[in-house]
Amino acid sequence: MEMRTLEKLGIETSLLGFGCMRFPVTAEGKIDEIQAEKMMDAALAAGVNYIDTAYPYHGGESETFVGKVLEKYPRDSYYLATKLPCWNVNALEDVDRIFQEQLQKLRTDHVDFYLMHALNRESFRKMAGLGVVEKLEKMKAQGKIRYLGFSFHDGYEAFEEILCSRDWDFCQIQINYMDAQEQAGMKGCRLAEERGVPLVVMEPVKGGSLAAFAGDITEKFRAMDPEASTASFALRWVGSLPNVKVILSGMSSMEQVEDNLKTFTSFRPLSSEESRGIDEIVALIRSRVQNGCTGCGYCMPCPAGVDIPGNFRVWNTYHMYQNYNMVKGSWEKFQGEGKQAGKCVKCGKCEGLCPQKLHIRQDLEKVQEDMDRKEFVL
């Protein structure tokens, strides 16, 4: 198993971290505990020593299940990460209450990596105003938390504000080869490295989107390595970045566990040729964008109730990845809420407000036609 040293903390973690957000589920929507336990056992046996869960995962059941599985292992044989749901914190008493609940679920007396969950500028400022950061620092001094960090979803400026607010033990960001300029992005990676803050990476395969492509893209990956899975290239891309110490993968099947173990037990950074190949693939995917909607929202609200930016986001994503399953949930949600493109009454109000001067009415027709046809179903 590929291991990485967190010099700041004086410890070593497996580069592959087991993300506990996407366990297999039963027909009733509950965690398939028999299968999920086998998956965790296989990963731990292969040397994975970083287990990541959170308060809301699987409807609040992930921590309980993870605690039950890990109880059979020596407590010093793994690092356990979980997160404070900041959206549920309105007073310092909430921190104590939630943390004690988490300890009980996880069947432990301490958490190794404790994160302020899904911070953005607004939630961080709220937490700072309540004194939550200082409260967590005291809990760390008491030994309840070993390492204090945060996970992040916002733009670079917010990331810089949060990262530079104190000397964090680590931080967790979303990055993959399609989102290198989104959220904290590569600029954030460099800032964390400059400040000596180790990185944990989430969404390296973009929620599974970088694991299943249409045939032409798949063939390009196979030309680089016919024995490697498409997902492995996304994981190796992230693992080739400096200062990345843990890559979280939310595995949903034993096949995914086995494929990831294959990638990380014989880990190879990307070669220069492979890096160029991925850059070409990214350019090809981006060339399939259907219109230049930026999601600014100036066209909203639509008198007919159409979510115009949402429809264009679905449409562009569908064509970029040529995979209907990637947008199925969003598209069907729009249908249920009466927000699909087909509801457009062609009043034209939106076009007069669009800074990009898009032909919105014409494009909405194309959206509905393309999504109804479902040409790309993988």
Side-chain angles (χ1 to χ4, degrees):
M1 174 59 56
E2 177 76 7
M3 307 298 288
R4 294 285 166 95
T5 300
L6 286 72
E7 294 85 358
K8 182 184 181 79
L9 309 181
I11 63 172
E12 193 174 61
T13 58
S14 55
L15 181 56
L16 173 61
F18 200 119
C20 300
M21 185 175 71
R22 295 188 175 98
F23 286 128
V25 296
T26 65
E28 294 75 31
K30 299 291 185 180
I31 296 172
D32 183 338
E33 296 195 3
I34 294 175
Q35 182 67 9
E37 183 168 358
K38 289 178 181 178
M39 291 163 56
M40 288 188 67
D41 287 341
L44 287 158
V48 172
N49 70 355
Y50 191 99
I51 309 298
D52 173 88
T53 183
Y55 191 81
Y57 291 174
H58 282 283
E61 294 301 316
S62 178
E63 288 177 323
T64 301
F65 170 72
V66 168
K68 183 166 61 174
V69 173
L70 292 180
E71 193 174 34
K72 65 189 180 186
Y73 291 93
R75 184 60 184 84
D76 61 357
S77 67
Y78 59 86
Y79 294 106
L80 176 60
T82 195
K83 309 172 186 76
L84 175 69
C86 295
W87 53 89
N88 285 346
V89 176
N90 295 299
L92 285 182
E93 300 78 51
D94 294 329
V95 177
D96 283 318
R97 174 182 55 79
I98 292 169
F99 188 75
Q100 287 305 313
E101 180 184 348
Q102 291 177 300
L103 291 183
Q104 291 174 5
K105 286 182 172 182
L106 292 164
R107 306 187 188 193
T108 186
D109 62 356
H110 71 280
V111 174
D112 300 300
F113 288 78
Y114 199 62
L115 300 87
M116 299 176 71
H117 197 176
L119 286 186
N120 54 34
R121 177 180 276 119
E122 181 181 356
S123 61
F124 174 68
R125 290 179 177 177
K126 177 184 176 183
M127 294 300 100
L130 289 172
V132 171
V133 177
E134 291 80 3
K135 173 68 174 176
L136 295 175
E137 288 172 340
K138 289 179 182 177
M139 293 166 66
K140 180 184 172 184
Q142 295 167 349
K144 298 177 181 178
I145 297 168
R146 291 185 66 187
Y147 311 115
L148 178 59
F150 64 93
S151 66
F152 178 80
H153 292 287
D154 203 341
Y156 172 78
E157 289 75 16
F159 180 74
E160 183 176 18
E161 176 183 330
I162 296 168
L163 190 73
C164 296
S165 68
R166 70 178 298 277
D167 185 18
W168 298 95
D169 294 321
F170 71 104
C171 68
Q172 181 172 311
I173 66 171
Q174 173 179 323
I175 195 162
N176 54 68
Y177 61 71
M178 286 302 302
D179 295 333
Q181 307 306 320
E182 302 295 323
Q183 298 192 24
M186 291 299 297
K187 193 175 178 182
C189 288
R190 289 189 290 271
L191 180 65
E193 184 178 12
E194 290 169 7
R195 294 185 63 85
V197 180
L199 283 177
V200 176
V201 170
M202 57 185 160
E203 301 295 348
V205 193
K206 199 175 171 67
S209 304
L210 307 183
F213 289 101
D216 60 337
I217 300 289
T218 300
E219 286 305 315
K220 290 182 180 296
F221 281 112
R222 285 180 179 160
M224 289 190 281
D225 187 342
E227 301 301 319
S229 67
T230 305
S232 70
F233 284 94
L235 295 167
R236 290 174 57 216
W237 185 91
V238 174
S240 300
L241 299 176
N243 197 39
V244 171
K245 307 301 183 179
V246 178
I247 302 173
L248 297 175
S249 178
M251 294 167 269
S252 302
S253 68
M254 185 62 79
E255 290 74 21
Q256 291 176 3
V257 173
E258 292 170 347
D259 186 56
N260 283 347
L261 293 178
K262 177 183 176 183
T263 298
F264 286 95
T265 52
S266 55
F267 184 80
R268 293 180 293 112
L270 291 177
S271 67
S272 56
E273 183 179 351
E274 288 172 325
S275 294
R276 286 193 297 271
I278 289 179
D279 288 344
E280 291 172 3
I281 288 168
V282 170
L284 174 58
I285 292 171
R286 294 198 184 285
S287 73
R288 293 170 172 170
V289 169
Q290 298 297 295
N291 76 5
C293 176
T294 65
C296 70
Y298 282 104
C299 58
M300 297 293 285
C302 167
V306 176
D307 182 343
I308 298 170
N311 273 263
F312 288 154
R313 183 172 59 251
V314 166
W315 188 43
N316 284 325
T317 301
Y318 169 66
H319 277 277
M320 285 169 65
Y321 296 97
Q322 299 192 348
N323 184 352
Y324 176 73
N325 288 328
M326 191 175 165
V327 298
K328 183 176 184 290
S330 298
W331 181 244
E332 293 180 358
K333 182 173 182 288
F334 287 157
Q335 182 181 32
E337 296 174 349
K339 297 179 179 180
Q340 279 190 355
K343 295 291 183 180
C344 173
V345 296
K346 297 181 172 53
C347 68
K349 177 185 175 183
C350 53
E351 293 186 6
L353 299 170
C354 177
Q356 311 302 319
K357 305 303 179 186
L358 300 179
H359 300 293
I360 294 177
R361 289 172 289 182
Q362 179 180 326
D363 283 353
L364 286 175
E365 280 190 35
K366 295 177 182 176
V367 170
Q368 195 68 47
E369 290 171 4
D370 285 355
M371 301 309 298
D372 285 346
R373 190 166 62 247
K374 297 182 182 62
E375 180 182 357
F376 307 120
V377 181
L378 299 184

